[in-house]
Amino acid sequence: MKREDALFNWLQIQVVADARPEDRSALDTAAFFLQLLHEDHQMSDIGYRQEGSWYVLFGSADSQSVEVRYPAESVEALLVAIESEPKYNCN
């Protein structure tokens, strides 16, 4: 998987996992993409922050800083889809 795809996939599912800490599938999937970024792309210190209507993903690769910006709407699309599906929101 290309690094750019893995970064976006990790960010999108990590936002879901952070919003839904009881969602074991989201936590496991976020961990999978984080491991992929570590092992396949030698990335470390990966994290994100929200700045207005953008998410900024940051980390290090090959001793260089990496920073990528994504529109919040794109990042949050998976969370919106999950929360809009009644079968995933049973109490």
Side-chain angles (χ1 to χ4, degrees), residues 2-36:
K2 292 181 184 178
R3 184 173 83 175
E4 295 77 19
D5 294 337
L7 286 169
F8 181 75
N9 289 338
W10 172 79
L11 178 58
Q12 203 174 41
I13 195 64
Q14 187 62 53
V15 166
V16 171
D18 289 344
R20 300 170 54 93
E22 75 292 345
D23 186 335
R24 175 55 49 200
S25 295
L27 294 169
D28 291 347
T29 304
F32 166 79
F33 279 109
L34 188 61
Q35 182 178 1
L36 186 138

Side-chain angles (χ1 to χ4, degrees), residues 19-58:
R20 300 170 54 93
E22 75 292 345
D23 186 335
R24 175 55 49 200
S25 295
L27 294 169
D28 291 347
T29 304
F32 166 79
F33 279 109
L34 188 61
Q35 182 178 1
L36 186 138
L37 287 164
H38 286 201
E39 293 177 0
D40 292 2
H41 300 289
Q42 293 70 51
M43 290 198 65
S44 59
D45 304 319
I46 301 167
Y48 74 91
R49 65 184 179 274
Q50 191 168 8
E51 293 181 355
S53 61
W54 293 89
Y55 279 84
V56 180
L57 187 153
F58 54 86

